[in-house]
Amino acid sequence: MAHFDPKTFRNALGQFATGVTIVTARADDGHAVGVTANSFNSVSLDPPLVLWSLAKSARSMPVFDAASHFAVHVLASDQDALANLFASQVSDKFAGMDVGTIGPPRIQGCSARLVCETRYRYEGGDHIIMVGEVQDYESEGKPPLLFYGGSYADTRQREAVVDNPAVLFAAAERVATITLNRPEARNALSEEVIAALVAALEAADADPDIDCVILTGAGASFCSGGNIKHIKALTAEQHMTPLEIEHWYRTQIQRIPLAMDRMSVPVIAAINGHAIGAGCDLACMADIRIAADDAVFAESFLRVGIIPGDGGAWLLPRTIGMARASQMLLTGEFIDAAKAERYGLVSEVVDAADLQSRARSLARQVAQYPPAAIRRSKRLLKDARDVTLAEHLDQAAIWQGVLQQMSDHHEAIDAILEKRSPNFQGN
């Protein structure tokens, strides 16, 4: 587990509140105890406090009541079987697991894990409310396991028809192509598209054989943004409260910018047709953006009486400057590809028929270089947004020291001197 970083913890808090949560502790005799929390939430950032509740009648109540520390596990979206196990009456729920022998038992593969020192206990009717100060935590960036409508969201997604995937994924010559595949809906960001897109991005970033990603849309549109019918349903049909809508944004569409920001492999957005609302913001999340000559962009949120809930107000000014970002957001104007290029929203415009071939050409240009240097170059650019020049120079010096000891660096130098093509091995 990494050293506790308050800033990173603060940025990750939005992922914690709505996932299925298991809390563990260790009894005096050393055996592991774990329960599904009835509720879990953040209390404060300074000090970092969280709370959860447990029924007074729970068999494990005495262990938690006496424990000085506990661990909170936000299950990942593929851990529905584990959630069912802890919801069952099985006596040994840790059978076959390696949960360690020191401190609170630790479940592997979770979306997030927090180790807390017990601070307070409160009576809450038929429940006891436990408050703990976060001592350490880690997050693997996996989407959390969500439960609503009587089932787990990811289970429904995995059981969906697989012959028409929401997102297509293909890889060749160290380049992955991720294609939003709902052309009939202009590739609107429905929950199934969000889940599939995040999974595809994470898979590409985790693959050492991928050096660049192309992100595009099937059919006539790149992405038309949020699904308007679904947004209407949140309030008009499902009557969700403001807090429930907040949680929906945190656990759905906001997963995309967080996943994109975590990535080390470069992403090229090949923008065809409409890039509207959240679709425009999705394009801004990419490292390189090229557009077909028929592309159209808009920050159209005010047209439906909402704001960018996906980070657009943070992304767009960093892409095109505050004045132009303000004009796009506050007027909702639609701009064509030529204007987008003048704004710096895209780096080049090509004929629609040539968009994919140009994207592949750019991706191959990126992927020709040493894999470790590609990823660290991207991260150096990304991290530079949030650090001082001195901190940036420190990071660059450290990474340079690593890269110049790698075989690929020596191969690059030798290939230049010997006037031949390099053969990089990724080490």
Side-chain angles (χ1 to χ4, degrees), residues 248-267:
W248 184 89
Y249 274 89
R250 289 181 183 277
T251 58
Q252 291 297 329
I253 199 165
Q254 289 184 358
R255 290 165 54 194
I256 300 174
L258 291 172
M260 292 280 274
D261 195 56
R262 285 191 298 266
M263 293 181 69
S264 294
V265 65
V267 178

Side-chain angles (χ1 to χ4, degrees), residues 25-33 99-103 105:
R26 197 173 297 277
D28 289 339
D29 63 3
H31 77 270
V33 171
V99 294
T101 58
I102 301 174

Side-chain angles (χ1 to χ4, degrees), residues 215-216 222 268-275 283 288-297 335-342 345-356 358-359 362:
L215 176 62
T216 192
F222 175 71
I268 298 172
I271 304 157
N272 50 307
H274 298 90
I288 299 172
R289 291 169 296 279
I290 63 172
D293 54 8
D294 63 354
V296 178
F297 302 82
I335 66 172
D336 60 19
K339 192 170 187 177
E341 186 176 24
R342 292 199 302 273
L345 185 54
V346 298
S347 56
E348 60 183 88
V349 176
V350 300
D351 188 277
D354 299 329
L355 179 65
Q356 297 304 319
R358 176 55 181 156
L362 277 173

Side-chain angles (χ1 to χ4, degrees), residues 397-417:
I398 292 168
W399 284 359
Q400 202 78 301
V402 173
L403 291 170
Q404 289 189 208
Q405 296 298 317
M406 297 185 72
S407 298
D408 280 349
H409 164 67
H410 301 303
E411 169 64 10
I413 297 295
D414 291 344
I416 292 172
L417 295 176

Side-chain angles (χ1 to χ4, degrees), residues 146-390:
L146 306 178
F147 185 86
Y148 57 85
S151 63
Y152 298 113
D154 198 59
T155 301
R156 293 201 302 270
Q157 179 66 28
R158 294 198 301 269
E159 292 173 351
V161 178
V162 295
D163 60 355
N164 185 29
V167 168
L168 303 176
F169 185 98
E173 299 179 320
R174 307 193 68 84
V175 174
T177 301
I178 297 173
T179 307
L180 305 184
N181 191 39
R182 287 295 178 262
E184 70 283 359
R186 296 193 303 168
N187 297 316
L189 295 173
S190 63
E191 290 183 6
E192 66 163 351
V193 173
I194 291 169
L197 174 57
V198 170
L201 292 169
E202 291 177 341
D205 199 45
D207 190 341
D209 293 326
I210 299 298
D211 293 330
C212 193
V213 170
I214 297 171
L215 176 62
T216 192
S221 294
F222 175 71
C223 176
S224 61
N227 188 309
I228 298 298
K229 292 181 180 179
H230 180 72
I231 292 173
K232 179 181 178 180
L234 295 180
T235 50
E237 298 173 15
Q238 299 179 31
H239 304 291
M240 293 177 69
T241 66
L243 184 59
E244 288 172 330
I245 293 173
E246 175 189 339
H247 285 169
W248 184 89
Y249 274 89
R250 289 181 183 277
T251 58
Q252 291 297 329
I253 199 165
Q254 289 184 358
R255 290 165 54 194
I256 300 174
L258 291 172
M260 292 280 274
D261 195 56
R262 285 191 298 266
M263 293 181 69
S264 294
V265 65
V267 178
I268 298 172
I271 304 157
N272 50 307
H274 298 90
I276 308 300
C280 181
D281 296 340
L282 178 61
C284 288
M285 297 172 203
D287 304 292
I288 299 172
R289 291 169 296 279
I290 63 172
D293 54 8
D294 63 354
V296 178
F297 302 82
E299 286 288 295
S300 55
F301 299 95
L302 285 179
R303 291 174 178 265
V304 292
I306 60 175
I307 59 173
D310 60 347
W314 189 91
L315 292 159
L316 195 61
R318 286 167 168 78
T319 304
I320 63 174
M322 182 60 74
R324 285 170 169 165
S326 298
Q327 181 171 327
M328 285 188 67
L329 177 59
L330 297 176
T331 66
E333 67 177 343
F334 286 69
I335 66 172
D336 60 19
K339 192 170 187 177
E341 186 176 24
R342 292 199 302 273
Y343 274 15
L345 185 54
V346 298
S347 56
E348 60 183 88
V349 176
V350 300
D351 188 277
D354 299 329
L355 179 65
Q356 297 304 319
S357 61
R358 176 55 181 156
R360 287 192 294 272
S361 175
L362 277 173
R364 286 194 293 268
Q365 283 183 260
V366 172
Q368 68 178 310
Y369 297 115
I374 295 170
R375 292 184 179 232
R376 282 176 171 80
S377 293
K378 168 176 172 166
R379 287 267 35 112
L380 200 64
L381 284 168
K382 287 273 192 180
D383 293 348
R385 300 170 305 191
D386 305 316
V387 301
T388 65
L389 175 60

Side-chain angles (χ1 to χ4, degrees), residues 5 45 72 112 242 269 279 407 426:
D5 177 3
L45 290 173
V72 177
S407 298

